[in-house]
Amino acid sequence: MESRGHSNPLLSFSSFIHQHCVRLGSDLATRLDDTKRALAQAHHNLLFPKHALAATSTLGSLHVAKSLVGTSVYTVSNSNNEFVLISDADGAKSIGLLCFRQEDAEAFLAQVRSRSRELRSKARVVPITLDQVYMLKVEGIAFRFLPDPVQIRNALELKPANKGGFDGVPVFQSELLVVKKKKKRYCPVYFSKEDIEQELSKVSRASRGPGVSQHIAVGSLEDVLRKMEMSERNSGWEDLIFIPPGKSRSQHIQELNE
């Protein structure tokens, strides 16, 4: 999965909207149905204690996808449920644009409609979950993320050394929020600095007020996923779960175990 930091793909690629669309109809529906069945099996497997798993095996794509369940991003499709693709600057590759804010996807939709008479009345914004995106990426479909600019600013405040911009989709984590339930350890990762600050205010007086930032680590979603893919079981990386924006840690963990 590709992403761009502070620059705006809507401006960079607005003149390169591709005429070709990738079929999201019967072919992609079949892929997503297969993905859902595989994720359900992965969920069953994850209920077993870690000591029952081989320590030498690496985390599989299904395990990584499972950690992303529940978070949606937004893209543009036509009336046939086909992704509208954009081309990179040299036209060598077609990619899908995935927005973390619905309003950014609406802006993308407006540009699509203004540049394509065929799509003017047929294109629409649709959500897709990150676990589905990840499995499509595993199959070789390329995407570019458009992060929430508010979270880019938040990440730059936490990592002032990156004055030139933030590379990737910001994610936030704190060791104070790691929890163990039913013999399983959960290390929550948040897409919103505001969400993690609210969670920290509930667990420790020391993490409240102006000093809350010292308890928050920031990284990029892409980097975290790469490290998960390369990690062995029982290394700690399998404990990561991504908390959907607006949800609490406890609420999401409860939904995962239902």
Side-chain angles (χ1 to χ4, degrees), residues 74-187:
Y74 303 90
T75 190
V76 173
S77 76
N78 63 18
S79 58
N80 293 323
N81 282 335
E82 297 168 333
F83 278 137
V84 174
L85 300 184
I86 58 178
S87 298
D88 58 10
D90 58 9
K93 181 169 62 175
S94 298
I95 57 177
L97 182 65
L98 301 172
C99 305
F100 273 78
R101 298 193 309 178
Q102 186 171 354
E103 62 195 86
D104 292 329
E106 296 287 353
F108 178 38
L109 173 63
Q111 293 210 16
V112 169
R113 286 175 170 171
S114 69
R115 295 175 182 277
S116 172
R117 181 177 302 177
E118 180 183 354
L119 294 173
R120 191 160 296 166
S121 62
K122 299 177 181 179
R124 60 194 176 97
V125 171
V126 294
I128 181 171
T129 58
L130 280 180
D131 56 307
Q132 294 174 335
V133 170
Y134 181 81
M135 294 307 293
L136 291 174
K137 173 257 183 184
V138 169
E139 293 188 10
I141 299 177
F143 296 98
R144 184 182 297 279
F145 284 131
L146 182 61
D148 183 341
V150 173
Q151 301 310 321
I152 291 287
R153 287 195 296 271
N154 287 338
L156 291 173
E157 289 175 1
L158 290 172
K159 296 185 72 172
N162 294 355
K163 292 181 180 179
F166 189 89
D167 185 18
V169 176
V171 290
F172 307 89
Q173 186 265 339
S174 175
E175 289 297 324
L176 295 177
L177 295 175
V178 176
V179 65
K180 191 172 184 179
K181 291 181 179 291
K182 296 182 179 179
K183 298 183 179 181
K184 177 166 176 58
R185 184 174 179 268
Y186 296 92
C187 181

Side-chain angles (χ1 to χ4, degrees), residues 13-31:
F13 299 134
S14 61
S15 61
F16 298 101
I17 294 177
H18 201 39
Q19 296 299 321
H20 180 66
C21 295
V22 63
R23 171 68 64 174
L24 270 181
S26 59
D27 178 53
L28 186 52
T30 300
R31 290 181 181 177

